[in-house]
Amino acid sequence: MKKEQKRDSDRKHLTQKEEPQTDSVKAQPEKPIPLAFKVLIPLVILILFELIARGLSVTVLKNYLSRIDLRTKLEKIYIPPPEPSNDNVMRLYVYGGSTTQGFPNPKVGFVPQLSYQLHHIFENKNIDVKNLGWSGFTSTMDRYSVTSSFWHKPDAMIVYTSHNEFVHPEIDNLLLYRSMSHLRDNSVLFRLLLATSNSLHGQTKADNEEPVERKRVPYFLVKPYYFLKLAILKQNYRSMVKIAQKSSVPIIFITATSNIGQWSPPEMPVTIFPPGERYQQDLKKVRTLIEEDNTDEAEKTTKIYLKKNPNDSSFLYFQAQIEAKRQNWDLAKKYFEQSKNSDPLQWRANDEINNFVRSLEDKKTVWVLDADKIFKENSPHNIPGYSLFLDNVHPNIDGHNLLANSIVELLRQDRIVEKDWWDKTNAPLPEDELLKQMDVTQDDQFQIAEITALYCIKNPFFNFQCARDYLEKAEKIKPTDWQIPASRSVIAYLTGNIDETKKQYKIAQDYYGAPISDKDALKIPYLQKIKEKLL
């Protein structure tokens, strides 16, 4: 009985606890903050920071801001001053990246060769060929150059771009750059943030801005990023087409050609998705087997990996080499093409890009010079290699000559410019005579060999055999140039041969005649690292 009374007492106690509070003691609900205040608060804070930044910019940070270059990439592009229209002058504007610029020796690039040829063909006419190409230019930068110069009314605009779309990780977009320029010009706070960002992330020229350890995003494997980059490229091309059509200035697009037969794609260890140890061991094993002409054994491993992943660019390249060793040229070409198109870094324009460029031709305002096709037709077994290229995408002197002559032939055949000039012309100069007139010297050949060797050494290629071959060519021209053993020292360092590293560095220093200065060490990728860590 007592237990039941206790349970009744507990229930009563709990019931009293659960009874709602009277109106007099109820908590009052909080009033929501009006939306206008929510928007106004950050706006007021931004205005306050802007006012503070304006004050700092004319006092303590005045010199700091004036020292830093806050121009965007596009604003750094050189656009020549306009010239008065003249019917007695043929003016051609040529746009593009490093191939247009003439890397590694602008003196012998296709643009100066084109200029020399046209001066010879039209012996008594005035020819003006302007080179607006620059290393690293993407289609966005070329679009900006075209937009900024078409109103000069050249007789034709020639564009050779597409290789650099996936070289840089950032999104190159014209609207983005214009928005940045507008914000920078109207907000001191934004200028201050840009200056701080440049100071924190600005790279030195050490290692030629290509750290050994740098890992890159394999854009071809990150589909949303790849499609975004590709969409920007297509928009840039379409914009250039519209400019040409509205201004009635002919535009010639050149499909991007590349070395597919003798340049292997960058391997996965240089990306942010490094493969396993077994994969890397098999890469080395197959490479060695092919070098030893043991194609049957090499193919066993290659087929296993291609069955797992038909788009493995490295093993596609190995299979192409195997077919080439067997002289199965059609199959070799097929695999070389597939390897290029599956390249995870896409530092060579793929077929999707070139096919899109081809689709733009209307032969009224837009022409396409199919350099990709032309280079294949002029290569052994239709597989472009070192006969026309220095490295992965940059033509050698013969390649530049082929490109220049192909442009001349297109201009002649379709009478794109100065239609009445073509009736009485001289035949193009043979290459040896042209180079003689251009005064191409041994020093020019040395520069080509040496700079190409340095290009091959750098991340992401690490193509040491190609670098060694060019260093041998350079050494035959200048046997005691200090940069040759210095470059060999770097190759030895990157391949883990410390004794050879020190040996070659000592030879370089002896040729140099003194301890190699920091300034000169920066000319050779990673040489400064050797100085700091080993010597």
Side-chain angles (χ1 to χ4, degrees), residues 166 217-228 272-273 344:
F166 297 92
V217 178
Y219 303 120
F220 186 66
L221 302 180
V222 184
K223 291 303 182 184
Y225 198 101
Y226 172 79
F227 289 128
L228 176 60
I272 61 172
F273 301 144

Side-chain angles (χ1 to χ4, degrees), residues 108-126:
V108 293
F110 80 87
V111 178
Q113 289 198 45
L114 173 64
S115 180
Y116 268 86
Q117 283 287 29
L118 290 175
H119 276 92
H120 170 74
I121 290 169
F122 302 109
E123 193 171 0
N124 298 313
K125 302 291 185 180
N126 293 321

Side-chain angles (χ1 to χ4, degrees), residues 93-96 100 110 142-143 146 157-161 237 240 251-255:
Y93 281 15
V94 190
Y95 310 83
T100 300
F110 80 87
D142 288 317
R143 172 186 171 185
V146 168
M157 300 180 292
I158 302 172
V159 182
Y160 185 17
T161 189
Y237 268 102
M240 288 187 279
I251 191 166
I252 301 171
F253 292 127
I254 303 176
T255 59

Side-chain angles (χ1 to χ4, degrees), residues 162 254-257 340 349-359 370 372:
S162 299
I254 303 176
T255 59
T257 181
K340 178 198 72 173
N350 58 30
D351 287 349
E352 185 174 6
I353 292 173
N354 279 338
N355 288 335
F356 169 74
V357 173
R358 293 181 183 107
S359 72
D370 201 343
D372 186 50

Side-chain angles (χ1 to χ4, degrees), residues 278-279 282-290 294-323 326 335 338-339:
R278 175 64 183 274
Y279 180 93
D282 285 341
L283 278 178
K284 293 178 182 178
K285 182 183 80 172
V286 173
R287 188 181 296 111
T288 301
L289 288 171
I290 292 173
N294 192 346
T295 56
D296 291 340
E297 195 65 29
E299 188 174 41
K300 290 178 183 178
T301 304
T302 297
K303 291 293 188 181
I304 290 172
Y305 278 95
L306 291 180
K307 187 175 181 180
K308 293 179 184 176
N309 178 13
N311 293 319
D312 187 308
S313 60
S314 293
F315 282 98
L316 282 167
Y317 185 79
F318 288 149
Q319 189 62 38
Q321 287 184 309
I322 291 168
E323 300 299 347
R326 296 168 175 170
Y335 282 117
Q338 288 179 355
S339 175

Side-chain angles (χ1 to χ4, degrees), residues 32-232:
I33 299 174
L35 180 61
F37 278 100
K38 290 182 179 179
V39 174
L40 193 59
I41 289 171
L43 187 60
V44 169
I45 293 173
L46 278 176
I47 292 172
L48 179 61
F49 278 131
E50 176 68 24
L51 293 173
I52 293 172
R54 287 176 184 264
L56 293 174
S57 69
V58 295
T59 53
V60 294
L61 296 179
K62 182 177 180 180
N63 293 332
Y64 171 71
L65 286 173
S66 63
R67 287 197 308 267
I68 299 177
D69 187 355
L70 299 180
R71 293 176 298 165
T72 66
K73 283 183 182 180
L74 302 186
E75 292 166 334
K76 296 176 184 178
I77 296 174
Y78 170 73
I79 304 296
E83 298 176 5
S85 180
N86 191 332
D87 291 339
N88 295 319
V89 179
M90 178 192 289
R91 286 192 299 148
L92 303 177
Y93 281 15
V94 190
Y95 310 83
S98 53
T99 296
T100 300
Q101 183 193 21
F103 177 90
N105 187 337
K107 177 178 176 179
V108 293
F110 80 87
V111 178
Q113 289 198 45
L114 173 64
S115 180
Y116 268 86
Q117 283 287 29
L118 290 175
H119 276 92
H120 170 74
I121 290 169
F122 302 109
E123 193 171 0
N124 298 313
K125 302 291 185 180
N126 293 321
I127 309 294
D128 181 17
V129 180
K130 285 186 168 30
N131 190 340
L132 301 183
W134 198 256
S135 181
F137 270 22
T138 63
S139 62
T140 296
M141 299 174 193
D142 288 317
R143 172 186 171 185
Y144 176 81
S145 296
V146 168
T147 303
S148 303
S149 60
F150 77 91
W151 58 275
H152 296 186
K153 289 291 184 179
D155 291 283
M157 300 180 292
I158 302 172
V159 182
Y160 185 17
T161 189
S162 299
H163 279 315
N164 292 329
E165 298 306 303
F166 297 92
V167 171
H168 308 290
E170 65 269 20
I171 299 296
D172 277 320
N173 182 279
L174 196 59
L175 179 60
L176 176 64
Y177 285 120
R178 285 176 170 167
S179 299
M180 287 177 62
S181 298
H182 179 77
L183 282 170
R184 182 207 58 214
D185 293 342
N186 293 278
S187 169
V188 177
L189 176 60
F190 191 74
R191 283 204 293 277
L192 184 59
L193 292 173
L194 277 178
T196 304
S197 176
N198 288 349
S199 297
L200 291 175
H201 301 101
Q203 292 178 309
T204 66
K205 291 185 178 179
D207 289 352
N208 285 344
E209 300 184 358
E210 295 292 347
V212 178
E213 303 84 3
R214 181 176 179 181
K215 303 296 183 184
R216 301 171 188 274
V217 178
Y219 303 120
F220 186 66
L221 302 180
V222 184
K223 291 303 182 184
Y225 198 101
Y226 172 79
F227 289 128
L228 176 60
K229 284 273 198 178
L230 201 61
I232 291 172

Side-chain angles (χ1 to χ4, degrees), residues 391-431:
D391 44 56
N392 58 329
V393 295
H394 300 108
N396 57 22
I397 292 179
D398 293 343
H400 278 292
N401 185 258
L402 177 60
L403 198 49
N405 288 343
S406 298
I407 294 171
V408 170
E409 182 57 30
L410 178 64
L411 294 174
R412 179 198 300 274
Q413 179 180 312
D414 286 18
R415 302 292 177 101
I416 298 171
V417 296
E418 305 296 352
K419 293 178 171 51
D420 56 337
W421 283 23
W422 295 93
D423 294 332
K424 293 182 179 180
T425 59
N426 296 321
L429 286 167
E431 183 178 348

